[in-house]
Each structure stands twice: as C-alpha cells, then as structure tokens.
Amino acid sequence: MAKQSIKARQRKREKMVAQYAEKRKALKEAGDYAALDKLPKNASPVRLHNRCQLTGRGKGYMRHFGISRIMFRDMALNGLIPGVKKLVGKIDYFSFSLLTKKEIQKINTKKKHNTSW
C-alpha cells in the first residue's frame, strides 16, 4: 500500500490538472508558451501517474481495470470481477482471460439447466 502522502499528492495534482485544463488548452491554441510556462508545474497532465484505485500502488497498473496486478489477482480469484476466469496451462503459470458475452451466456445457461452442481 502506498504512503498516504503520495496518494494525497496525486489527488492534488488531479484537481490542479482539471482546474487549469481549459486555460492550458486556450494558451496552447494561441501559441502563448511564455504564459504557459507561468502556470503551476502540477497543472500539466504529464505529471500524473497511473495508480491503483484501491491501494495507490504505482507499479503493475492494469489500465483496463484501474487497479494493480496484485489487487486484480485477488479480486479475480474471489470472483469480484465479472467476466474474468482463470486459465490453467502449465504448472505455476497463472493468467486470466476476459470472457465474451456469448461465453458468459453459455456458462449462465449451463448453471440454470444443470442442477447437479
């Protein structure tokens, strides 16, 4: 879990980027780079870092889900992410697959019809 100060710094940057977004866009279109330099450094969207929404971890971020690989694994194994199943290939090989809507429907119909589970 990331330090609280790092998470707070990220939130502060996100607010500042949103606050100055329109002004930055107008200055870029006008070509006024001198005024653009006078804006705060944290107003630049380049300074934002992708972080896990749950823990704040900066490394191992999965953009599609917005969480780190560790939290993704825990949530997928507990069945908290719909449409994700574990793939078993080799021993000690651990990966996941996103199911298509048709595969999810097949699984749901099997569960409805097969009551011996």
Side-chain angles (χ1 to χ4, degrees), residues 16-38:
M16 195 168 284
V17 166
Q19 180 182 354
Y20 285 97
E22 291 179 23
K23 190 171 187 179
R24 285 184 62 82
K25 185 178 180 183
L27 290 172
K28 277 190 173 184
E29 288 176 357
D32 189 5
Y33 296 105
L36 198 60
D37 281 342
K38 292 180 182 177

Side-chain angles (χ1 to χ4, degrees), residues 32-49:
D32 189 5
Y33 296 105
L36 198 60
D37 281 342
K38 292 180 182 177
L39 292 178
K41 287 183 181 179
N42 284 337
S44 174
V46 174
R47 294 177 64 96
L48 292 177
H49 196 289

Side-chain angles (χ1 to χ4, degrees), residues 34-87:
L36 198 60
D37 281 342
K38 292 180 182 177
L39 292 178
K41 287 183 181 179
N42 284 337
S44 174
V46 174
R47 294 177 64 96
L48 292 177
H49 196 289
N50 289 334
R51 293 194 169 274
C52 176
Q53 299 293 318
L54 303 174
T55 61
R57 181 181 171 87
K59 296 183 178 181
Y61 179 79
M62 298 180 77
R63 188 177 290 179
H64 184 75
F65 297 98
I67 56 178
S68 68
R69 62 181 177 80
I70 298 167
M71 294 307 299
F72 174 80
R73 182 175 186 267
D74 289 343
M75 292 176 74
L77 288 175
N78 291 328
L80 299 175
I81 303 176
V84 176
K85 69 174 184 177
K86 182 180 172 187
L87 292 177

Side-chain angles (χ1 to χ4, degrees), residues 72 83-87 95-99 103:
F72 174 80
V84 176
K85 69 174 184 177
K86 182 180 172 187
L87 292 177
S95 64
F96 293 92
S97 167
L98 285 175
L99 297 174
E103 290 173 333

